[in-house]
Each structure stands twice: as structure tokens, then as C-alpha cells.
């Protein structure tokens, strides 16, 4: 199975599509530094801490696009040239073929997903310093928590990819589902079901409360990045259950379906 994982890494390194998409999403994330530099609210001026806490929802959008598209690409790129058939003929089981692409998707997609948050924050820290409105450790903890629902979304997208198996069709379907869910979130109250969907879970983790204290020519901003233990537990439990469910849904379909 690990031979297949290495071959997926090699193929991704040789093909440029997802490299281009990742660079575009990273540039979109970093471009927010320019906007933030004009609209920073705190008395300290622009700081990396304020930028990271304020722009995390917008960067989350760019990061999710890469997350979904990269997973679709990894899970479907070998169906067109029949590479998956070759792996089965050479003695690999369908479980190995399926699991290898899940592992590769988790490693590459989550790495790119996190870099969309970390790189702009690092650039902001170099330019302006971190500041005092939020602790760096609290921000890092938020980023690490994002991995849990992100992995769940990867498993859901992978299951869809193995069912459809056509890259363009999977891209369109996943993008439409992503757009419709986000549109529904904007028009519906989801506070009672923030962990039910992976996207709402990510959105809630990217929602950081803040308070402003006004003084004479001063605005002090403090962010509350604490996450309640109950919400962390719900995030972990529901994400694990959903991930396992979609893993077996995707594998069951791939195991018994014919490969063209």
C-alpha cells in the first residue's frame, strides 16, 4: 500500500494542476494582508495576531477550496489512464488502492490547507510582529483543531470521488455542494448544529469573538480564542463517526463496482 502512496506523491509532483491551484489559493490568502493593512483596528496598528484572528474565516474559504479540489484530483486522477487497473493486476487489493489514495489525500490536502493559514500569518508576523490581542498558542490550537473537520471533509469528498470517478464531474458536484451548503448556512440558523456538517464545524472554529475597548485616540482589541471542552468533544466525536462512515461508504462502492 505504501508503494501506491509513494506513486501518488510522485504523480502529484509531476503534474502541475494542483500546484497551480494551491499557489492561487495561497496568493488569495496572502493578498488579504494588503487589505488588512488599511483596515486594522487596534491601537498597536497592524499585527499578525489581529490579522490571523480577523481574517481566518475568509482564508478558511480559500483553504477549503484547495482541500476539496486536491482530494478530488488525487482520488480520480488514475482512473483516466487506467493506473488503478494496473495496481490491481499487479497484486494490490482494492482496499490498498482505496486506502492509499485516502492517506495521500489526508497528507497533501491537510498540509496545503494549513499552509493557507500559516504562511500569511508568518508573513504578517515578519512585517508587523505578532502583537498582544491574542496569544500565539491559542491561534495555533485553533489551527490544529481545524484538522479534525478538514479530515472529515476529505473522507466525504473521497467517497464522492470514488463513486463518480470522473474528475470534471467530481469537481463540479463538489463545488456545487460546497456553494449550496454555504448559501444555506447564510440563510439559516445553524447554531444548534455547528458540528453536524463539516463545513459548519470549520466555520464555527474560524469564528473568534472579540471585544473592543475605546479610550482617548485608542482602540484596544482583545480576542477570545478559547474553545469549550464540549465543543471540542463534539467536533472530535462527530468527525470521527462521519469519517469512518464515509470511508466505508466509499470503499464499499469501490470494492463491488467495475472499473472501466
Amino acid at each position: 500500500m505504501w508503494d501506491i502512496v509513494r506513486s501518488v506523491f510522485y504523480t502529484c509532483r509531476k503534474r502541475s494542476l494542483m500546484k497551480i491551484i494551491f499557489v492561487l489559493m495561497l496568493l488569495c490568502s496572502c493578498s488579504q494582508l494588503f487589505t488588512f493593512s488599511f483596515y486594522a483596528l487596534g491601537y498597536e496598528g497592524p499585527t499578525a495576531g489581529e490579522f490571523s484572528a480577523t481574517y481566518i474565516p475568509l482564508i478558511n474559504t480559500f483553504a477549503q477550496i484547495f482541500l476539496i479540489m486536491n482530494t478530488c484530483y488525487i482520488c480520480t486522477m488514475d482512473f483516466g489512464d487506467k493506473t488503478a487497473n494496473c495496481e490491481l493486476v499487479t497484486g494490490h487489493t482494492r482496499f490498498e488502492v482505496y486506502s492509499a489514495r485516502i492517506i495521500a489525500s489526508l497528507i497533501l490536502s491537510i498540509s496545503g490547507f494549513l499552509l493557507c493559514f500559516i504562511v500569511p500569518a508568518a508573513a504578517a508576523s515578519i512585517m508587523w510582529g505578532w502583537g498582544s490581542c491574542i496569544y500565539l498558542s491559542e491561534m495555533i490550537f485553533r489551527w490544529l483543531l481545524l484538522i479534525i473537520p478538514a479530515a472529515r471533509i476529505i473522507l466525504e469528498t473521497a467517497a464522492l470521488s470514488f463513486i463518480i470517478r470522473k474528475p470534471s464531474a467530481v469537481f463540479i458536484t463538489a463545488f456545487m455542494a460546497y456553494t449550496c451548503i454555504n448559501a444555506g448556512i447564510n440563510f439559516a440558523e445553524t447554531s444548534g448544529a455547528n458540528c453536524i456538517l463539516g463545513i459548519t464545524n470549520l466555520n464555527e472554529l474560524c469564528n473568534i469573538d472579540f471585544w473592543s475597548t475605546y479610550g482617548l485616540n485608542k482602540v484596544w482589541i482583545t480576542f477570545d480564542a478559547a474553545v469549550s471542552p464540549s465543543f471540542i468533544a463534539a467536533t472530535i466525536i462527530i468527525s470521527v463517526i462521519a469519517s469512518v462512515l464515509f470511508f466505508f461508504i466509499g470503499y464499499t462502492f469501490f470494492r463491488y463496482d467495475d472499473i472501466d
Side-chain angles (χ1 to χ4, degrees):
M1 182 176 69
W2 292 106
D3 292 338
I4 303 177
V5 175
R6 285 193 292 269
S7 70
V8 172
F9 288 159
Y10 178 80
T11 303
C12 291
R13 190 169 67 250
K14 291 297 182 180
R15 299 181 182 179
S16 59
L17 176 60
M18 293 315 303
K19 292 180 183 178
I20 294 172
I21 293 176
F22 171 69
V23 171
L24 287 175
M25 294 301 103
L26 190 59
L27 288 175
C28 288
S29 300
C30 292
S31 67
Q32 305 309 311
L33 292 167
F34 180 77
T35 304
F36 172 75
S37 64
F38 291 99
Y39 295 100
L41 299 176
Y43 175 70
E44 297 176 290
T47 64
E50 184 183 345
F51 168 78
S52 299
T54 303
Y55 278 77
I56 186 173
L58 183 58
I59 294 176
N60 176 51
T61 301
F62 303 130
Q64 283 187 55
I65 292 174
F66 170 76
L67 186 82
I68 293 171
M69 296 192 69
N70 190 61
T71 302
C72 292
Y73 182 74
I74 290 175
C75 293
T76 60
M77 65 181 178
D78 290 330
F79 286 114
D81 57 11
K82 311 302 181 183
T83 303
N85 285 355
C86 297
E87 293 167 352
L88 294 174
V89 170
T90 54
H92 293 286
T93 65
R94 292 204 178 203
F95 182 80
E96 291 175 337
V97 173
Y98 180 81
S99 299
R101 281 162 178 77
I102 296 296
I103 294 172
S105 297
L106 287 170
I107 294 174
L108 294 177
S109 297
I110 289 178
S111 297
F113 177 81
L114 289 178
L115 284 174
C116 286
F117 295 95
I118 295 173
V119 172
S125 186
I126 292 172
M127 291 187 296
W128 305 314
W130 183 258
S132 60
C133 61
I134 186 172
Y135 290 114
L136 176 59
S137 58
E138 293 180 340
M139 202 68 235
I140 292 175
F141 183 67
R142 282 271 182 163
W143 290 336
L144 294 177
L145 274 180
L146 295 178
I147 295 176
I148 301 172
R152 168 188 173 181
I153 292 176
I154 290 172
L155 268 295
E156 294 169 350
T157 306
L160 180 66
S161 300
F162 275 93
I163 291 173
I164 299 177
R165 296 189 312 192
K166 303 292 184 182
S168 57
V170 176
F171 286 157
I172 294 172
T173 303
F175 183 75
M176 288 181 62
Y178 174 81
T179 303
C180 291
I181 291 173
N182 273 303
I185 292 171
N186 292 331
F187 290 100
E189 292 292 335
T190 59
S191 59
N194 285 323
C195 294
I196 300 301
L197 298 177
I199 291 177
T200 58
N201 201 167
L202 278 177
N203 291 346
E204 182 65 19
L205 287 173
C206 291
N207 182 26
I208 302 178
D209 295 327
F210 71 94
W211 288 267
S212 300
T213 303
Y214 296 89
L216 184 62
N217 296 325
K218 295 182 180 181
V219 180
W220 299 100
I221 297 178
T222 302
F223 289 89
D224 181 12
V227 185
S228 66
S230 60
F231 187 78
I232 295 175
T235 296
I236 295 173
I237 293 172
I238 296 176
S239 294
V240 169
I241 293 173
S243 297
V244 172
L245 176 62
F246 278 93
F247 178 89
F248 282 104
I249 288 175
Y251 172 64
T252 300
F253 191 92
F254 178 65
R255 178 183 179 185
Y256 294 107
D257 192 36
D258 292 330
I259 300 179
D260 298 330

